[in-house]
Amino acid sequence: AISLFDEMFLTIKPDLITFSTIIKGCCRAGNMKLGNKYLDKMLELNLKPDEAIFNLLMDACLANNSCDLALEIFGRMKELSVKPSAKTFGLLIKTYGFMKKLPQALAVLPLMAKLNIPASIFIYTSLLQVCFNTRKIDKALFLYEKMTQDGLKLDSVCYNKLVAGSTKCGRIELAFSFYEKSLVDRQEIDSAVKDKLIQEIKKCNIE
Protein backbone atom coordinates (compact mmCIF):
# COMPACT_ATOMS: atom_id res chain seq x y z
CA ALA A 1 0.00 0.00 0.00
CA ILE A 2 2.85 2.39 0.84
CA SER A 3 4.68 1.71 -2.44
CA LEU A 4 1.46 2.46 -4.34
CA PHE A 5 1.09 5.63 -2.34
CA ASP A 6 4.64 6.69 -3.25
CA GLU A 7 3.84 6.16 -6.93
CA MET A 8 0.93 8.59 -6.59
CA PHE A 9 3.39 11.44 -6.12
CA LEU A 10 4.50 10.97 -9.71
CA THR A 11 1.05 11.68 -11.15
CA ILE A 12 -1.34 13.24 -8.63
CA LYS A 13 -1.29 15.24 -5.41
CA PRO A 14 -2.69 13.19 -2.48
CA ASP A 15 -5.22 14.99 -0.30
CA LEU A 16 -5.56 15.21 3.49
CA ILE A 17 -7.76 12.11 3.72
CA THR A 18 -5.25 10.04 1.74
CA PHE A 19 -2.39 11.13 3.96
CA SER A 20 -4.45 10.43 7.08
CA THR A 21 -5.14 6.89 5.87
CA ILE A 22 -1.51 6.07 5.09
CA ILE A 23 -0.21 7.63 8.32
CA LYS A 24 -2.80 5.64 10.25
CA GLY A 25 -1.47 2.49 8.57
CA CYS A 26 2.09 3.39 9.54
CA CYS A 27 1.02 3.93 13.14
CA ARG A 28 -0.82 0.63 13.32
CA ALA A 29 2.33 -1.07 12.02
CA GLY A 30 4.33 0.67 14.74
CA ASN A 31 6.44 2.53 12.16
CA MET A 32 6.40 6.09 13.52
CA LYS A 33 9.46 7.12 11.50
CA LEU A 34 7.65 6.34 8.28
CA GLY A 35 4.59 8.14 9.61
CA ASN A 36 6.78 11.17 10.26
CA LYS A 37 8.15 10.88 6.73
CA TYR A 38 4.65 11.27 5.31
CA LEU A 39 4.00 14.14 7.67
CA ASP A 40 7.00 15.87 6.11
CA LYS A 41 5.65 15.11 2.64
CA MET A 42 2.35 16.74 3.56
CA LEU A 43 4.18 19.90 4.51
CA GLU A 44 6.19 19.80 1.28
CA LEU A 45 2.88 19.77 -0.61
CA ASN A 46 1.57 22.69 1.51
CA LEU A 47 -1.03 20.45 3.16
CA LYS A 48 -1.57 21.30 6.81
CA PRO A 49 -1.99 18.21 9.02
CA ASP A 50 -4.99 18.30 11.32
CA GLU A 51 -5.15 17.52 15.03
CA ALA A 52 -6.30 13.93 14.36
CA ILE A 53 -3.09 13.10 12.47
CA PHE A 54 -0.91 14.38 15.29
CA ASN A 55 -2.96 12.37 17.78
CA LEU A 56 -2.43 9.22 15.71
CA LEU A 57 1.33 9.77 15.69
CA MET A 58 1.56 10.58 19.40
CA ASP A 59 -0.55 7.55 20.32
CA ALA A 60 1.64 5.27 18.19
CA CYS A 61 4.77 6.69 19.83
CA LEU A 62 3.41 5.87 23.28
CA ALA A 63 2.46 2.37 22.21
CA ASN A 64 6.10 1.86 21.24
CA ASN A 65 7.62 3.61 24.29
CA SER A 66 8.94 6.48 22.16
CA CYS A 67 8.16 9.32 24.56
CA ASP A 68 10.78 11.73 23.21
CA LEU A 69 9.34 11.34 19.71
CA ALA A 70 5.82 11.94 21.06
CA LEU A 71 7.00 15.24 22.58
CA GLU A 72 8.72 16.13 19.32
CA ILE A 73 5.48 15.56 17.43
CA PHE A 74 3.57 17.72 19.91
CA GLY A 75 6.22 20.42 19.40
CA ARG A 76 5.67 20.30 15.64
CA MET A 77 1.97 20.63 16.23
CA LYS A 78 2.59 23.88 18.12
CA GLU A 79 4.96 25.15 15.44
CA LEU A 80 2.27 24.66 12.80
CA SER A 81 -0.37 26.36 15.00
CA VAL A 82 -2.60 23.28 14.99
CA LYS A 83 -4.93 23.56 17.98
CA PRO A 84 -4.70 20.53 20.30
CA SER A 85 -7.84 18.80 21.54
CA ALA A 86 -8.61 17.28 24.93
CA LYS A 87 -7.44 13.97 23.47
CA THR A 88 -4.11 15.52 22.49
CA PHE A 89 -3.59 16.82 26.01
CA GLY A 90 -4.52 13.43 27.41
CA LEU A 91 -1.78 11.89 25.28
CA LEU A 92 0.65 14.57 26.43
CA ILE A 93 -0.11 13.80 30.08
CA LYS A 94 0.34 10.10 29.37
CA THR A 95 3.72 10.86 27.79
CA TYR A 96 4.92 12.79 30.84
CA GLY A 97 3.52 10.03 33.01
CA PHE A 98 5.66 7.40 31.29
CA MET A 99 8.64 9.70 31.81
CA LYS A 100 7.63 10.29 35.45
CA LYS A 101 7.65 14.04 34.93
CA LEU A 102 4.87 15.18 37.24
CA PRO A 103 5.48 18.98 37.11
CA GLN A 104 5.23 18.93 33.31
CA ALA A 105 2.09 16.78 33.47
CA LEU A 106 0.44 19.17 35.92
CA ALA A 107 1.40 22.12 33.71
CA VAL A 108 -0.97 20.74 31.06
CA LEU A 109 -4.00 21.97 33.04
CA PRO A 110 -3.22 25.70 32.64
CA LEU A 111 -2.42 25.07 28.96
CA MET A 112 -5.90 23.62 28.51
CA ALA A 113 -7.48 26.50 30.40
CA LYS A 114 -5.66 28.99 28.17
CA LEU A 115 -7.26 27.35 25.13
CA ASN A 116 -10.67 27.15 26.84
CA ILE A 117 -10.60 23.36 26.76
CA PRO A 118 -12.29 22.00 29.91
CA ALA A 119 -10.46 19.27 31.81
CA SER A 120 -12.61 16.15 31.85
CA ILE A 121 -12.62 13.37 34.44
CA PHE A 122 -10.38 11.44 32.02
CA ILE A 123 -7.75 14.19 32.16
CA TYR A 124 -7.83 14.31 35.95
CA THR A 125 -7.67 10.52 36.20
CA SER A 126 -4.59 10.50 33.95
CA LEU A 127 -2.96 13.12 36.18
CA LEU A 128 -3.81 11.13 39.30
CA GLN A 129 -2.02 8.13 37.81
CA VAL A 130 1.14 10.23 37.35
CA CYS A 131 0.87 11.49 40.94
CA PHE A 132 0.62 8.00 42.38
CA ASN A 133 3.37 6.62 40.15
CA THR A 134 5.69 9.34 41.46
CA ARG A 135 4.31 8.89 45.01
CA LYS A 136 3.17 12.51 45.27
CA ILE A 137 0.05 11.91 47.35
CA ASP A 138 -0.27 15.62 48.20
CA LYS A 139 -0.62 16.48 44.52
CA ALA A 140 -3.19 13.71 44.09
CA LEU A 141 -5.24 15.15 46.93
CA PHE A 142 -4.98 18.61 45.38
CA LEU A 143 -6.38 17.23 42.12
CA TYR A 144 -9.15 15.41 43.96
CA GLU A 145 -10.20 18.64 45.69
CA LYS A 146 -10.11 20.51 42.38
CA MET A 147 -12.28 17.85 40.73
CA THR A 148 -14.90 18.10 43.44
CA GLN A 149 -14.78 21.90 43.41
CA ASP A 150 -15.32 21.89 39.65
CA GLY A 151 -18.36 19.67 40.14
CA LEU A 152 -17.00 16.70 38.20
CA LYS A 153 -18.67 13.37 38.88
CA LEU A 154 -16.09 10.72 39.66
CA ASP A 155 -16.49 7.51 37.71
CA SER A 156 -15.40 3.96 38.49
CA VAL A 157 -12.04 4.36 36.75
CA CYS A 158 -11.20 7.44 38.81
CA TYR A 159 -12.22 5.84 42.10
CA ASN A 160 -10.14 2.77 41.29
CA LYS A 161 -7.11 5.01 40.70
CA LEU A 162 -7.71 6.81 43.99
CA VAL A 163 -8.12 3.62 46.03
CA ALA A 164 -5.27 1.73 44.36
CA GLY A 165 -2.94 4.72 44.35
CA SER A 166 -3.53 5.60 47.98
CA THR A 167 -2.98 1.97 48.94
CA LYS A 168 0.24 1.86 46.93
CA CYS A 169 1.51 4.98 48.72
CA GLY A 170 0.76 3.48 52.13
CA ARG A 171 -2.15 5.80 52.91
CA ILE A 172 -4.52 3.01 53.89
CA GLU A 173 -7.07 5.08 55.81
CA LEU A 174 -7.26 7.51 52.90
CA ALA A 175 -7.71 4.60 50.49
CA PHE A 176 -10.54 3.26 52.61
CA SER A 177 -12.23 6.66 52.70
CA PHE A 178 -12.17 6.77 48.89
CA TYR A 179 -13.58 3.24 48.85
CA GLU A 180 -16.45 4.36 51.09
CA LYS A 181 -17.14 7.32 48.81
CA SER A 182 -17.23 5.00 45.82
CA LEU A 183 -19.96 3.00 47.55
CA VAL A 184 -21.98 6.15 48.16
CA ASP A 185 -21.60 7.14 44.50
CA ARG A 186 -22.36 3.57 43.40
CA GLN A 187 -19.08 3.20 41.50
CA GLU A 188 -17.63 -0.31 41.42
CA ILE A 189 -14.12 -1.00 42.67
CA ASP A 190 -12.25 -3.83 40.95
CA SER A 191 -11.90 -6.98 43.03
CA ALA A 192 -8.08 -6.92 42.80
CA VAL A 193 -7.98 -3.32 44.10
CA LYS A 194 -10.42 -4.17 46.86
CA ASP A 195 -8.53 -7.31 47.89
CA LYS A 196 -5.23 -5.40 48.08
CA LEU A 197 -6.84 -2.78 50.30
CA ILE A 198 -8.26 -5.45 52.61
CA GLN A 199 -4.82 -7.08 52.89
CA GLU A 200 -3.22 -3.77 53.85
CA ILE A 201 -5.97 -3.01 56.38
CA LYS A 202 -5.33 -6.35 58.06
CA LYS A 203 -1.59 -5.67 58.18
CA CYS A 204 -2.17 -2.31 59.81
CA ASN A 205 -4.86 -3.65 62.19
CA ILE A 206 -7.20 -0.87 61.13
CA GLU A 207 -10.70 -1.35 62.48
Side-chain angles (χ1 to χ4, degrees):
I2 291 173
S3 60
L4 290 174
F5 185 72
D6 286 336
E7 290 175 8
M8 291 174 60
F9 285 98
L10 302 175
T11 54
I12 62 174
K13 177 182 176 181
D15 58 13
L16 183 64
I17 295 175
T18 307
F19 270 110
S20 297
T21 302
I22 199 70
I23 288 175
K24 188 174 183 179
C26 292
C27 291
R28 284 183 173 175
N31 195 335
M32 293 81 64
K33 289 185 178 180
L34 188 58
N36 262 329
K37 170 189 170 184
Y38 286 111
L39 182 63
D40 290 334
K41 285 189 176 182
M42 288 185 71
L43 298 175
E44 289 173 10
L45 294 172
N46 294 317
L47 283 172
K48 187 175 182 179
D50 60 12
E51 163 260 343
I53 287 177
F54 284 103
N55 288 346
L56 278 172
L57 287 167
M58 287 183 70
D59 201 15
C61 287
L62 294 178
N64 288 274
N65 299 314
S66 300
C67 295
D68 289 334
L69 185 55
L71 292 179
E72 181 184 323
I73 290 168
F74 181 74
R76 296 188 73 181
M77 190 177 190
K78 290 171 63 177
E79 289 171 5
L80 293 168
S81 300
V82 177
K83 184 179 179 180
S85 65
K87 181 175 181 178
T88 311
F89 283 120
L91 291 168
L92 184 59
I93 291 169
K94 193 174 180 180
T95 302
Y96 287 133
F98 285 160
M99 302 172 82
K100 294 189 175 180
K101 293 186 175 182
L102 179 57
Q104 291 87 339
L106 292 173
V108 171
L109 283 179
L111 281 177
M112 294 182 68
K114 189 176 181 180
L115 293 173
N116 295 315
I117 299 175
S120 64
I121 192 67
F122 170 76
I123 292 292
Y124 277 108
T125 302
S126 298
L127 285 170
L128 284 171
Q129 183 66 56
V130 185
C131 291
F132 290 128
N133 284 347
T134 54
R135 295 187 174 274
K136 298 295 183 181
I137 193 78
D138 57 327
K139 297 297 184 183
L141 288 173
F142 167 78
L143 291 172
Y144 171 74
E145 293 297 332
K146 186 162 177 47
M147 279 189 289
T148 54
Q149 288 172 8
D150 290 349
L152 289 174
K153 181 177 175 57
L154 277 64
D155 59 13
S156 176
V157 176
C158 187
Y159 270 119
N160 271 280
K161 295 292 184 188
L162 287 167
V163 174
S166 298
T167 303
K168 178 182 177 180
C169 292
R171 297 288 298 274
I172 309 306
E173 291 185 0
L174 179 63
F176 186 69
S177 72
F178 284 131
Y179 173 69
E180 289 184 314
K181 288 174 182 175
S182 73
L183 295 177
V184 173
D185 288 346
R186 297 184 177 181
Q187 299 296 328
E188 186 175 354
I189 300 298
D190 295 342
S191 58
V193 174
K194 193 188 306 181
D195 290 344
K196 180 62 177 176
L197 175 59
I198 292 171
Q199 289 175 15
E200 294 302 317
I201 289 174
K202 289 179 178 178
K203 287 181 185 178
C204 298
N205 293 318
I206 298 174
E207 297 295 335

